[in-house]
Amino acid sequence: MAEQLISAVESSMDKTNLMLKDIEQAYGWPKEQRNQSYAALRTVLHLLRDRLPVQQSVEFAQQLPVLVRGIYFDGWQPENVPIKLNREDFLYEVRQGFPYDVEGGTERVVQVVLDTLRRHVTQGEWQDVKSQMPKDLGRMIP
C-alpha cells in the first residue's frame, strides 16, 4: 500500500513538473525560474476554476495530476462561482496574479498556460471547458 502511495505521488510530481517545464520551454526560461511558471499556472488555473460552473470545474479537475488538482482547488469557494469574466477582465486578473513582466505580456502568459493545459486533458473535456466561456474569452482558448 505504501509503495502504491509513493508511486502515485511520484507520478503526480512528474506530471506536474512536465506541465511546468512546458511553460518554461515556451518562454525559454531556465528551471531557476520555476516560480514564474508556477505563478502562471496557478493564476490561470484559478481564473478558469472561478469562471466555470461547479460541476464543470470538478470534471475538469479530475483530469489534472493530483498535485495540480490541489493547486487548482486551493482557496476555492464554490458558492461564489461562476464569476462572470470577459476577456478583458480575465486578462486584468491574470496580470494581478502574475506580477512578472514577460515577453508577449499577459495574453501570452494565458496562451502558454492554456496550451499546456490542453495537452494534459482529453479533447472532449477541453471542448466542454471552452464551451462554458463567453465568446470573447473562448476565442483565447485553443
Side-chain angles (χ1 to χ4, degrees):
M1 179 80 159
E3 287 180 19
Q4 288 177 330
L5 177 61
I6 290 170
S7 177
V9 169
E10 287 176 349
S11 175
S12 180
M13 287 178 59
D14 289 345
K15 290 175 184 176
T16 300
N17 279 322
L18 180 61
M19 293 175 88
L20 294 171
K21 286 178 187 177
D22 284 353
I23 295 167
E24 291 160 3
Q25 286 177 347
Y27 277 105
W29 294 339
K31 186 177 180 181
E32 292 75 32
Q33 288 181 273
R34 179 64 47 101
N35 59 328
Q36 285 184 211
S37 55
Y38 169 78
L41 178 64
R42 183 180 190 280
T43 300
V44 173
L45 276 173
H46 282 186
L47 288 166
L48 274 180
R49 173 201 72 192
D50 291 346
R51 182 60 186 88
L52 292 170
V54 172
Q55 185 61 37
Q56 182 61 55
S57 189
V58 170
E59 290 171 10
F60 173 68
Q62 289 172 333
Q63 296 200 8
L64 300 173
V66 172
L67 184 55
V68 176
R69 198 176 312 147
I71 295 166
Y72 183 80
F73 283 123
D74 184 41
W76 191 39
Q77 297 177 329
E79 67 277 6
N80 296 332
V81 300
I83 296 172
K84 302 298 182 194
L85 297 171
N86 61 28
R87 181 181 178 278
E88 184 179 315
D89 296 335
F90 194 91
L91 291 172
Y92 174 82
E93 293 298 330
V94 169
R95 185 64 182 142
Q96 298 310 300
F98 184 79
Y100 303 96
D101 289 323
V102 296
E103 184 179 325
T106 304
E107 192 163 339
R108 174 90 170 114
V109 170
V110 171
Q111 197 62 58
V112 166
V113 173
L114 292 176
D115 284 342
T116 297
L117 290 170
R118 182 188 50 132
R119 288 192 297 274
H120 293 274
V121 300
T122 65
Q123 180 66 25
E125 186 58 41
W126 193 247
Q127 288 304 314
D128 289 348
V129 167
K130 189 173 180 174
S131 73
Q132 295 293 319
M133 297 295 142
K135 288 186 195 280
D136 67 335
L137 185 53
R139 284 192 289 274
M140 289 182 60
I141 299 177

